[in-house]
Amino acid sequence: MPAPLPQTAADWLHEVLEHLEMAALAAAAEGLDSAPERSLWVTFMQRQALALACAARGLQDASEDPERLLVQLDAVDDLARLLRGAVPGRIGDVLSEGQLFLLLWLAVHVHARLLPVDHAKGLVQTCWKACTNAPDDGDAALRAVVTAEAEGDGADEDADQDEDEDDEPWPITVPSPREPSTWLGEITAAYARRGEAPSLPVCDGAAFVPDSGSLLEIATTLALANRGVCPPGEAVHELIDTIGAMEEDVRSQGPEWEAMQGIPALAFSMYYVWVHLAMGVADEDQAMLVMRECSSHLADFPESERQGSTRPQRRTRN
């Protein structure tokens, strides 16, 4: 029987630490607890987080299908990077074992659509400090989160209201497409508007205006608008930075990525789909099907004399 989802941050932390201990024991059995290449340990823990979460939640295990497993691991890695942005620091900073596993565990649940990405970010923020020394002092970590939750329950109403204001604008009011062909129609229609992309209303009453020379910002704005969301202005910048970081990662995966990103229509499609991955309303398997559909129907994309840059533009924020 699948285990029910935890109901509180303390329950989530307990589950993370419990499965981290299991994963760490498995890593030690493989001789990876003191491996000189930490990347080997990280890769192993990614696989452990996925396998253990699938077992706990009764999800299909893709371990016998190497291609599907690789797709899932890539999706979990991307989502873990997205969740990393919920707490201070840079993506490249060294994390504790507990913090890394927390990100991976929650990322698996977001990828499986069992956990909204905003809820996952909140759990990361609540459990982050408690995971600094985990699993060495798991009991103390658990107590810290319970204390934090209790303090949060007793916070003043203004603080609660501010938190609600951050959470409320993100609900999706327009469902995303289901079939790749429908995705293609929506993306080509959005691509046709790239030269006159409208500003995006944000919850503080202002608007986010995309850089007219950045396909990344234009695609992000149109994707959010098509889902009917009204996000906080700062969150739009964070989302763009996250997708820009994802792009930098894939640039190192081979010349085929560089070639694809050199085609504006495909670069736009990739950004558009990644926005939906970041919002948790599409998974990696669906994203691959959509990108295949876009790649095989390039003739359906309208041309324009002005082509926006595919490179992410870094703005100076006020």
Side-chain angles (χ1 to χ4, degrees):
M1 289 289 293
L5 289 175
Q7 296 301 305
T8 67
D11 291 340
W12 276 105
L13 178 63
H14 177 76
E15 182 175 85
V16 167
L17 297 181
E18 182 180 45
H19 287 87
L20 169 60
E21 185 176 359
M22 297 168 60
L25 289 173
E30 294 290 330
L32 295 177
D33 54 331
S34 58
E37 291 290 337
R38 183 171 172 80
S39 61
L40 297 177
W41 184 88
V42 172
T43 300
F44 184 83
M45 296 305 277
Q46 289 174 328
R47 291 173 177 264
Q48 284 292 302
L50 180 59
L52 292 172
C54 286
R57 302 280 98 87
L59 302 174
Q60 183 178 3
D61 187 351
S63 59
E64 296 183 359
D65 185 342
E67 183 176 354
R68 181 176 174 81
L69 176 62
L70 183 60
V71 168
Q72 289 186 337
L73 290 172
D74 285 344
V76 169
D77 184 61
D78 288 342
L79 287 168
R81 290 172 181 271
L82 175 65
L83 296 179
R84 174 66 180 86
V87 289
R90 299 173 299 175
I91 290 179
D93 290 346
V94 176
L95 306 180
S96 72
E97 294 181 4
Q99 289 170 335
L100 175 64
F101 201 79
L102 171 70
L103 295 174
L104 294 172
W105 188 260
L106 296 178
V108 173
H109 286 76
V110 172
H111 178 59
R113 300 188 183 184
L114 297 176
L115 186 65
V117 67
D118 285 343
H119 189 183
K121 287 181 178 180
L123 290 171
V124 170
Q125 293 169 345
T126 303
C127 301
W128 191 249
K129 289 184 179 180
C131 286
T132 301
N133 298 317
D136 296 335
D137 193 4
D139 290 340
L142 186 59
R143 286 196 299 272
V145 171
V146 171
T147 301
E149 286 191 305
E151 292 175 349
D153 291 340
D156 60 34
E157 294 182 0
D158 289 340
D160 290 339
Q161 187 174 18
D162 289 341
E163 183 177 352
D164 290 341
E165 288 176 357
D166 287 340
D167 293 340
E168 285 300 321
W170 279 100
I172 307 300
T173 61
V174 180
S176 56
R178 289 190 174 184
E179 300 299 325
S181 58
T182 313
W183 276 97
L184 175 65
E186 180 173 291
I187 293 174
T188 54
Y191 186 71
R193 301 175 60 197
R194 67 196 184 283
E196 50 183 23
S199 58
L200 178 71
V202 293
C203 64
D204 57 9
F208 174 81
V209 181
D211 185 333
S212 61
S214 171
L215 277 182
L216 169 56
E217 293 195 7
I218 294 171
T220 301
T221 301
L222 289 170
L224 293 174
N226 281 339
R227 296 287 73 81
V229 300
C230 182
E234 185 65 19
V236 179
H237 287 285
E238 292 176 358
L239 177 59
I240 289 171
D241 287 346
T242 297
I243 295 176
M246 292 166 66
E247 181 183 29
E248 291 302 319
D249 285 341
V250 301
R251 284 183 185 278
S252 63
Q253 294 186 18
E256 64 276 7
W257 280 100
E258 285 285 351
M260 189 193 77
Q261 291 170 317
I263 302 173
L266 288 183
F268 180 93
S269 302
M270 182 177 66
Y271 298 142
Y272 194 97
V273 171
W274 273 351
V275 171
H276 289 78
L277 283 173
M279 290 192 295
V281 295
D283 57 34
E284 190 70 15
D285 291 341
Q286 189 176 31
M288 287 187 65
L289 291 174
V290 173
M291 288 306 300
R292 287 174 183 168
E293 186 79 3
C294 293
S295 299
S296 60
H297 292 84
L298 279 176
D300 293 351
F301 286 82
E303 294 300 325
S304 172
E305 293 181 1
R306 184 186 63 77
Q307 300 288 357
S309 170
T310 64
R311 298 288 296 180
Q313 304 294 317
R314 305 298 185 190
R315 295 188 178 191
T316 301
R317 301 182 192 175
N318 296 326

